[in-house]
């Protein structure tokens, strides 16, 4: 398996774990009566933290010490993804008249695509890219 294919497969595996964590926590919180947008904030944050550690060490094999700039790019990428998924959750649920759980699933699919692109291109870049030598 090539490097790119391996990264995509690993990102998908981490994403599946994040999704289970996010969706499971969201479902538990929403079921317990917490407002669905508050549940979204909490559950998405738990998935983001899990994602950072697994993708940094396993998917993109970052060996140098993490720095503030890297974490800031990660937080920014996930912040944008969060805003998109929250908007999609609201649109699908309130405007599309889908159930809250189906809406969450649809928003998650859209967010996954955005998040992979941002994580790969902006956060855990190849070393050559960081030095400006990537063509």
């Amino acid at each position: 398996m090539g490097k790119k294919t391996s990264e995509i497969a690993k990102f998908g595996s981490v994403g599946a774990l994040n999704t289970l964590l996010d969706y499971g926590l969201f479902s538990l919180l929403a079921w317990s009566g917490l407002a669905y947008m508050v549940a979204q904030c909490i559950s998405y944050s738990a998935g983001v933290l899990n994602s950072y550690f697994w993708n940094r060490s396993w998917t993109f094999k970052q060996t140098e010490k993490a720095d503030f700039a890297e974490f800031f790019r990660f937080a920014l990428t996930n912040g944008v993804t969060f805003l998109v998924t929250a908007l999609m959750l609201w649109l699908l649920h309130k405007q599309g008249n889908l159930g809250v759980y189906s809406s969450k699933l649809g928003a998650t699919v859209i967010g996954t695509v955005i998040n992979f692109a941002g994580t790969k291109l902006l956060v855990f870049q190849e070393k050559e890219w960081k030095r400006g030598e990537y063509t």
Side-chain angles (χ1 to χ4, degrees):
M1 181 173 358
K3 181 180 177 190
K4 301 276 187 225
T5 304
S6 176
E7 284 180 347
I8 291 170
K10 287 179 178 182
F11 190 86
S13 297
V14 171
L17 179 61
N18 296 337
T19 300
L20 286 173
L21 176 63
D22 177 18
Y23 196 84
L25 187 55
F26 174 83
S27 297
L28 179 66
L29 294 171
W31 175 81
S32 71
L34 194 63
Y36 74 93
M37 280 300 191
V38 174
Q40 169 69 0
C41 291
I42 294 169
S43 67
Y44 187 83
S45 295
V48 165
L49 289 174
N50 187 65
S51 175
Y52 179 76
F53 293 109
W54 279 104
N55 280 318
R56 183 175 207 292
S57 63
W58 186 54
T59 305
F60 298 108
K61 297 182 180 175
Q62 301 295 296
T63 55
E64 67 276 355
K65 186 176 178 181
D67 60 20
F68 178 77
E70 175 187 275
F71 190 77
F72 179 77
R73 289 189 309 270
F74 183 81
L76 185 62
T77 298
N78 280 278
V80 168
T81 303
F82 171 76
L83 291 174
V84 170
T85 59
L87 176 62
M88 292 309 302
L89 175 61
W90 179 80
L91 284 172
L92 292 169
H93 182 58
K94 292 295 184 183
Q95 303 299 314
N97 295 318
L98 291 176
V100 70
Y101 302 110
S102 298
S103 298
K104 171 68 173 170
L105 191 58
T108 299
V109 169
I110 294 164
T112 299
V113 174
I114 294 166
N115 195 266
F116 178 79
T119 301
K120 173 73 177 160
L121 298 174
L122 301 174
V123 181
F124 301 124
Q125 309 149 348
E126 294 185 34
K127 289 180 182 24
E128 294 82 11
W129 179 274
K130 289 181 193 176
R131 290 191 306 254
E133 299 169 9
Y134 191 80
T135 57

